[in-house]
């Protein structure tokens, strides 16, 4: 049995493994594997931490976006309300302006009408006086005519004033 090569391979293998065990290779391998496992665990923990921070940032930005959208909606609503108020105010001012201009025009028309009526009355009175004077001159003569003319002119002058 000692002469067989398989026996010497087995003995060499046992000596080699025993030598590795004596040197402490198995401890070094276990330590290297443990260190690698710890590094991987630390990287996984860091990745989980970064993931949770990223999720928190995403949630925060979503809240900020929703708040900004709400603020934008309120600004738009305020602008619409302000525009409607300004339009109503402009409409009221326009209506007031038209009413004021209409009243001024009506007042001017009434004044012009009153002036025209007064001018027509004055012209009619003057024409009537002139016609009456002419008729009286032609038909009346003497002192009676002069008295009538003077009295008529005085009466017409009183009525005009």
């Amino acid at each position: 049995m000692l002469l067989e090569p398989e026996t010497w391979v087995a003995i060499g293998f046992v000596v080699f493994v025993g030598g590795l065990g004596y040197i402490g290779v198995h401890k070094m391998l276990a330590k290297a594997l443990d260190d690698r496992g710890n590094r991987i665990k630390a990287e996984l923990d860091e990745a989980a931490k970064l993931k949770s921070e990223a999720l928190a940032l995403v949630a925060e930005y979503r809240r900020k976006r929703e708040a900004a959208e709400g603020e934008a909606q309120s600004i738009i609503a305020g602008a619409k309300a302000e525009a409607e108020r300004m339009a109503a105010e402009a409409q009221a001012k326009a209506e007031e302006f038209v009413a004021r201009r209409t009243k001024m025009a009506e007042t001017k028309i009434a004044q012009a009408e009153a002036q025209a009526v007064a001018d027509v009355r004055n012209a009619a009175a003057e024409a009537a006086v002139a016609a009456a004077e002419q008729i009286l001159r032609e038909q009346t003569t003497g002192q009676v005519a002069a008295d009538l003319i003077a009295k008529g002119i005085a009466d017409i002058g009183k009525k005009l004033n």
Side-chain angles (χ1 to χ4, degrees):
M1 195 152 136
L2 286 177
L3 295 177
E4 292 186 24
E6 287 87 16
T7 305
W8 287 107
V9 168
I11 292 172
F13 179 74
V14 169
V15 169
F16 177 73
V17 170
L20 289 177
Y22 180 74
I23 297 174
V25 172
H26 65 286
K27 291 180 183 177
M28 286 189 278
L29 283 176
K31 184 177 184 294
L33 288 175
D34 286 343
D35 289 344
R36 183 176 170 118
N38 289 336
R39 260 195 336 260
I40 291 172
K41 184 176 186 245
E43 288 176 4
L44 286 175
D45 290 343
E46 182 69 21
K49 178 183 170 188
L50 290 174
K51 180 180 178 183
S52 66
E53 288 176 4
L55 290 175
L57 281 174
V58 166
E60 180 182 346
Y61 283 121
R62 282 186 180 150
R63 280 189 308 254
K64 285 182 179 179
R65 186 194 73 211
E66 290 171 357
E69 286 176 356
E71 185 176 339
Q73 291 297 330
S74 67
I75 289 171
I76 289 171
K80 283 182 182 179
E82 181 69 16
E84 289 174 1
R85 185 192 62 77
M86 290 176 73
E89 188 177 298
Q91 177 71 22
K93 284 183 180 180
E95 289 174 359
E96 179 184 328
F97 176 75
V98 168
R100 191 171 56 241
R101 292 294 249 176
T102 303
K103 184 170 179 153
M104 284 174 41
E106 288 173 353
T107 302
K108 285 184 179 181
I109 290 170
Q111 288 174 350
E113 187 177 295
Q115 184 64 38
V117 168
D119 290 346
V120 168
R121 281 186 184 160
N122 287 339
E126 288 175 11
V129 167
E133 184 179 345
Q134 186 176 357
I135 291 171
L136 286 175
R137 278 188 193 166
E138 291 174 2
Q139 293 180 359
T140 348
T141 57
Q143 184 62 32
V144 173
D147 290 342
L148 282 175
I149 290 173
K151 184 178 181 200
I153 291 173
D155 288 343
I156 290 175
K158 288 179 186 176
K159 287 183 182 179
L160 289 177
N161 289 331

